[in-house]
Amino acid sequence: MNMNYALLLIAVPLAVAFLQPLFGMISKKFTKWVTFLTLAFNFVYSLCLLNYVMTNGPQIAVIGNWRPPFGINLYLSALSLFLATIIYFVGTVVSFYFIGIKDKPIDDKLSLVMLLVVGAAGAIVMTGDLFNMFVFIEILSIGTAILIASRDKGLSYKGALKYMIFGSIGSSMLLFAIGFTYGTLGTLNLAEIALRFHEINPTLASFIVLMFTGGVFVEAELFPFNMWVPDSYEGASPHINAILSGIVSTAGIYAIMRVFMTVFGINIGDRIVIYGKLNFNAILITIGVITTAIGELSALTQKNIKKILAFSSMAQMGVIAFAIGIGNQIALTGGIFHLFNHAISKALLFLVAAMIIRNIGSADIDDMEGFGRHNKFLAIIFAIGAFGIIGIPFFNGFWSKMYIIDGAVMRSTPWTYFALSFILGAALIEAFYYFRIIYKMFNDKKITAKNRIHPFAYISVALLAIVVLTVGIYPSLFSNILNHASAGIFDRVQYITTVLGMGVLR
Amino acid sequence: MKKTEFITGSFIALTLVVLLGIFFFQALFQPSYEGKVMPVDNVNLKNRVSLHYVLKNVNNASKYLAMHGMRYFNNRSSVPSQTITYGKSKNLEEGSANEVTSIVVNYRGFDTLGEVTVLFISIIGITMLIGGVVEKKWIKPSLIVRTGSKFLFPFILLFGVYIFIHGHLTPGGGFPGGAVIASGFLLLLLGLENYRFNTKASKVIESLAGLTFVCIGLIGLFTKNSFLANFIPTGTVGLLYSAGMVSLIYVVIGIKVGAELSTGVAELKEGNKND
């Protein structure tokens, strides 16, 4: 199997996106179907590639026949393809949901932008080149801003503007980091940087890491760069929020994992420490704790269901940052698993929230009292998603949080225990506000439905709920992939030799 | 936005900027005994990947890396290279006389595909969100502008086409060429009173040009087994018919950028009425 054909995963969405304006002249509905079919193709193809990589080990795809440190390459490992598969899966489900909602005049452009955002997120998790990652982060952030602004209300413009400001500051910081890296090492290839990053002066290395932080923390919704989250999520349509939460933040967290650990990290004992003068692992743990605490406490005070879910999404990103900061393999496995669970459950929650909002015409949780009596199916699905996020036993979030706690306990320094207590306390708060919503839904009260819901919407949420339940009941389904994925982050030598060839260590 | 929120935000931003600034200056003035590579002293411009792009010896460098391993990274300039003579050297691995073009379109062509997409999605966003806001302030042009824009338009178009066709030989290329073409259409939109830009046709051209770019990449994938691989002989350096697919891609980019920017400018003026 020629792995260079993996480029189809990026080339096909781009080609179809270029053609979407022509399809839009035929029919708006048709563009939605085209987006759905393209993403479905990507999902199936990435599953095939994942299957191949699991048996044959990580591979690279070369672009333009220029071998890696000189040209651009894709790195196809269990982690990249696993995350790409999740991204395409969530994209497929959301675009299927998107077919069902009422047509608006700008829908052809929206489905185009959606396709580009999902395609770019897939490219970020597969690329092996720093500047290439930057280009696709640009596409991702511009596309996300357009998606947020597409609701055509004052609030959504405000949210989009905030996201644009943060996104452009982040991008310019990222460009600084890339410039310094190229200026000192003379290369942009991730594997070569990983091989030679310890040659850089530690102070400068820390500076590069800090600058890089600015770029990816915006997408990953982590603390100093997440002030856009509440306004943007409130302003955007709920199904767009499913993309923001399930796809954009997944790509951001992948960039943190890959670049901070494999590229900027050095192996010390059983864990990876980020090279440089600063103890960046402790900073990441602190950032994770702050993000989680702020997110959960803010979610507690909100009445708007979109804002609650947005803050909850921020908090989960904090948990994953905490897992990355701990830096041993168990915690990292938990982090990747939690990323998967979060993408699926949060997409599910946002889609159900979209349907509820459409059905009763209000996003306030007080107006949802009695919704469970009115529409049992949706309320139960919402409860499944919420249980998955909280981590009730036999739902998917339980297993990933167990992994993270296990890893944190294995690290066993006073600071980790202190941080862990915060994470666990935050999980309690989270359980409280989710149970409050579920309790309100199943209260006995008569409500009147306003709008009908399209059957496609039911199918898409049911699909996601099935995944949540399957993973919860049978968590070892993915254990093989997850072990390979976290080992792929840890085995830096394997990353370098796969990309640059075995001879490089001579 | 509340005032307190703004003050807190600016305080956090200021703190971050000061911290980063301290960090930056510390790195600049630190002695270099801790790590080998420093930003100020000892920067060796020849120890960068771009050296091979300029000397067109990437394939040699790949072989050299496979043979010598780690030693390659400390001494990139020891990779053997051949002398390139303008107008004489034939069938090099990469045939454009303009070094920047060879990097942008060939060695790192995938990034350019991404950049084209960035422009595409930005124009889509602009026309979707703020289309048709400029028309209110339109002032009737004077006689000189009306005559001059009609007279100059073909020359501007010709100059734009010249720039992107010669992208692999002279400075410039697809993006500047496209921008020049769009400026010609902007002149018409501003200078002629009842000029209507054909947005539909322009969109069709733009879509097909974008598709052609991806298809050139896919032809490389299917014939040479690698996306965006060169599948046309590179010819003699410095001739118009040289550089293989590089010139082809730059023509496509020029057409695409020209159509795209023109559509953007026209829709800013007229609004997208066909929706």
Side-chain angles (χ1 to χ4, degrees):
Chain A
M1 190 171 176
N2 184 354
M3 286 313 273
N4 288 348
Y5 281 87
L7 255 299
L8 289 177
L9 285 178
I10 301 170
V12 168
L14 287 187
V16 175
F18 287 145
L19 280 181
Q20 284 284 46
L22 295 188
F23 297 146
M25 288 174 189
I26 303 167
S27 146
K28 311 272 178 208
K29 202 85 181 170
F30 184 52
T31 60
K32 293 183 178 180
W33 275 103
V34 168
T35 300
F36 165 67
L37 289 175
T38 315
L39 291 177
F41 160 76
N42 266 14
F43 169 60
V44 174
Y45 190 49
S46 62
L47 260 187
C48 298
L49 287 177
L50 178 62
N51 186 28
Y52 180 80
V53 164
M54 285 303 293
T55 48
N56 296 30
Q59 311 277 331
I60 57 168
V62 178
I63 296 168
N65 270 337
W66 309 114
R67 297 292 308 166
F70 310 106
I72 299 170
N73 67 298
L74 299 189
Y75 183 71
L76 305 159
S77 63
L79 174 64
S80 334
L81 283 171
F82 180 55
L83 290 185
T85 312
I86 298 169
I87 285 171
Y88 294 137
F89 176 67
V90 174
T92 312
V93 171
V94 175
S95 59
F96 189 66
Y97 175 90
F98 189 57
I99 296 172
I101 65 175
K102 213 178 90 205
D103 287 346
K104 277 199 290 185
I106 53 169
D107 270 356
D108 54 335
K109 284 171 182 164
L110 267 190
S111 48
L112 184 166
V113 174
M114 205 183 272
L115 184 60
L116 278 181
V117 165
V118 181
I124 290 171
V125 301
M126 285 188 291
T127 187
D129 188 279
L130 203 52
F131 192 77
N132 199 241
M133 190 182 266
F134 170 76
V135 169
F136 283 107
I137 285 179
E138 280 284 279
I139 298 177
L140 189 74
S141 62
I142 295 173
T144 312
I146 295 172
L147 287 181
I148 293 170
S150 67
R151 193 153 153 253
D152 208 12
K153 282 188 180 165
L155 206 55
S156 83
Y157 282 163
K158 187 186 165 197
L161 190 65
K162 267 197 171 180
Y163 180 80
M164 280 279 281
I165 292 169
F166 273 97
S168 36
I169 292 172
S171 295
S172 42
M173 286 173 78
L174 188 55
L175 203 56
F176 258 115
I178 293 171
F180 271 98
T181 317
Y182 186 74
T184 47
L185 293 180
T187 185
L188 291 167
N189 187 276
L190 286 180
E192 196 189 326
I193 299 170
L195 184 67
R196 296 174 57 215
F197 197 70
H198 62 274
E199 289 177 16
I200 300 183
N201 182 302
T203 318
L204 183 67
S206 283
F207 181 71
I208 290 174
V209 172
L210 275 181
M211 277 299 184
F212 196 86
T213 304
V216 286
F217 274 26
V218 178
E219 319 298 340
E221 303 173 5
L222 288 172
F223 180 59
F225 297 94
N226 57 6
M227 278 79 156
W228 58 273
V229 169
D231 280 341
S232 303
Y233 274 77
E234 196 189 358
S237 315
H239 60 276
I240 299 299
N241 289 342
I243 288 184
L244 274 181
S245 178
I247 292 172
V248 176
S249 51
T250 306
I253 288 283
Y254 169 82
I256 293 177
M257 277 183 187
R258 178 61 81 202
V259 177
F260 281 10
M261 304 198 78
T262 317
V263 178
F264 293 165
I266 37 177
N267 292 73
I268 291 180
D270 68 332
R271 59 196 204 104
I272 286 191
V273 177
I274 295 158
Y275 173 75
K277 202 138 205 163
L278 285 179
N279 183 357
F280 207 79
N281 286 62
I283 294 178
L284 258 182
I285 291 178
T286 318
I287 284 176
V289 169
I290 293 175
T291 312
T292 311
I294 291 179
E296 304 288 25
L297 285 175
S298 314
L300 190 64
T301 59
Q302 296 299 326
K303 287 275 179 199
N304 185 322
I305 190 162
K306 281 198 276 182
K307 273 196 164 180
I308 292 177
L309 294 178
F311 280 122
S312 159
S313 151
M314 201 164 112
Q316 304 309 317
M317 290 301 133
V319 173
I320 297 167
F322 169 77
I324 297 173
I326 287 168
N328 57 23
Q329 198 174 347
I330 294 179
L332 198 69
T333 312
I336 297 166
F337 198 10
H338 202 62
L339 197 58
F340 164 76
N341 291 338
H342 170 260
I344 301 288
S345 314
K346 206 38 84 63
L348 168 65
L349 284 176
F350 270 120
L351 289 187
V352 175
M355 291 156 79
I356 294 176
I357 291 169
R358 187 165 158 65
N359 203 324
I360 64 175
S362 159
D364 199 318
I365 54 169
D366 286 334
D367 294 337
M368 286 171 198
E369 241 175 309
F371 187 81
R373 307 286 171 129
H374 161 72
N375 190 337
K376 276 205 184 61
F377 178 75
L378 272 190
I380 288 172
I381 296 251
F382 186 89
I384 290 173
F387 289 163
I389 286 280
I390 302 165
I392 304 265
F394 301 111
F395 285 90
N396 56 5
F398 174 71
W399 306 107
S400 51
K401 282 189 179 172
M402 276 296 280
Y403 266 115
I404 293 175
I405 293 166
D406 197 5
V409 171
M410 264 181 70
R411 176 84 182 88
S412 72
T413 60
W415 177 233
T416 345
Y417 280 123
F418 182 66
L420 185 63
S421 66
F422 264 91
I423 299 276
L424 291 175
L428 273 182
I429 300 174
E430 186 177 38
F432 174 74
Y433 64 74
Y434 273 121
F435 273 112
R436 188 174 59 184
I437 301 175
I438 295 166
Y439 171 76
K440 277 201 169 141
M441 275 189 184
F442 285 100
N443 247 354
D444 199 2
K445 196 182 168 193
K446 193 94 184 130
I447 61 168
T448 47
K450 287 196 179 125
N451 297 306
R452 248 189 80 253
I453 300 172
H454 200 276
F456 279 13
Y458 282 114
I459 295 173
S460 46
V461 292
L463 211 61
L464 288 168
I466 289 169
V467 176
V468 169
L469 285 177
T470 320
V471 176
I473 294 164
Y474 185 50
S476 51
L477 185 66
F478 290 126
S479 63
N480 193 16
I481 296 178
L482 288 169
N483 289 335
H484 269 85
S486 59
I489 290 262
F490 264 78
D491 201 347
R492 298 177 61 248
V493 176
Q494 187 199 31
Y495 184 84
I496 293 163
T497 49
T498 311
V499 177
L500 298 179
M502 286 308 280
V504 78
L505 295 176
R506 215 180 308 137
Chain B
M1 201 183 287
K2 273 176 266 166
K3 203 173 182 186
T4 48
E5 203 176 315
F6 184 73
I7 290 170
T8 339
S10 48
F11 176 72
I12 292 173
L14 195 70
T15 326
L16 278 176
V17 165
V18 168
L19 281 177
L20 286 175
I22 291 170
F23 226 85
F24 183 61
F25 284 110
Q26 201 190 348
L28 281 182
F29 296 111
Q30 223 183 19
S32 60
Y33 50 82
E34 282 190 302
K36 271 190 277 177
V37 188
M38 282 295 295
V40 177
D41 51 68
N42 275 334
V43 170
N44 184 4
L45 288 178
K46 285 194 167 173
N47 217 18
R48 293 181 181 170
V49 170
S50 53
L51 178 74
H52 306 305
Y53 300 156
V54 174
L55 296 175
K56 301 191 194 302
N57 63 352
V58 168
N59 286 340
N60 286 346
S62 300
K63 282 177 204 150
Y64 191 87
L65 172 65
M67 257 167 65
H68 293 86
M70 255 325 257
R71 261 181 296 160
Y72 158 78
F73 295 112
N74 300 323
N75 198 5
R76 289 188 206 266
S77 48
S78 57
V79 176
S81 63
Q82 52 181 327
T83 320
I84 299 163
T85 321
Y86 188 86
K88 281 190 181 148
S89 305
K90 272 182 194 171
N91 296 329
L92 300 169
E93 56 172 23
E94 203 292 315
S96 49
N98 183 356
E99 301 295 352
V100 179
T101 304
S102 72
I103 297 172
V104 169
V105 184
N106 199 341
Y107 292 118
R108 300 189 63 84
F110 194 54
D111 280 346
T112 304
L113 181 57
E115 293 295 350
V116 166
T117 318
V118 169
L119 190 65
F120 176 66
I121 197 171
S122 313
I123 297 289
I124 290 282
I126 288 171
T127 55
M128 194 171 98
L129 299 175
I130 52 173
V133 286
V134 189
E135 188 148 38
K136 294 164 206 155
K137 293 173 188 164
W138 196 75
I139 307 161
K140 195 167 183 288
S142 69
L143 177 70
I144 297 171
V145 177
R146 267 178 286 159
T147 330
S149 54
K150 265 188 212 163
F151 177 73
L152 278 179
F153 176 69
F155 292 103
I156 294 177
L157 216 61
L158 189 66
F159 183 55
V161 172
Y162 170 80
I163 286 182
F164 70 65
I165 283 184
H166 288 73
H168 57 294
L169 301 176
T170 53
F175 289 97
V180 168
I181 290 175
S183 71
F185 281 105
L186 176 63
L187 191 64
L188 282 193
L189 282 166
L190 292 178
L192 299 186
E193 206 170 345
N194 41 19
Y195 174 73
R196 282 280 165 266
F197 183 75
N198 191 344
T199 320
K200 213 160 209 171
S202 150
K203 271 183 184 168
V204 172
I205 292 171
E206 179 200 330
S207 293
L208 292 180
L211 185 71
T212 318
F213 192 170
V214 182
C215 282
I216 289 173
L218 288 178
I219 292 171
L221 181 60
F222 293 126
T223 57
K224 298 277 173 184
N225 264 328
S226 183
F227 189 72
L228 279 173
N230 191 2
F231 55 92
I232 305 172
T234 49
T236 311
V237 174
L239 294 190
L240 184 59
Y241 299 106
S242 69
M245 61 148 197
V246 172
S247 48
L248 210 60
I249 287 181
Y250 249 168
V251 169
V252 171
I253 292 178
I255 293 170
K256 180 165 170 60
V257 171
E260 212 162 54
L261 288 178
S262 312
T263 319
V265 168
E267 290 205 342
L268 274 183
K269 181 167 178 274
E270 294 163 7
N272 32 6
K273 290 192 180 96
N274 53 349
D275 286 333

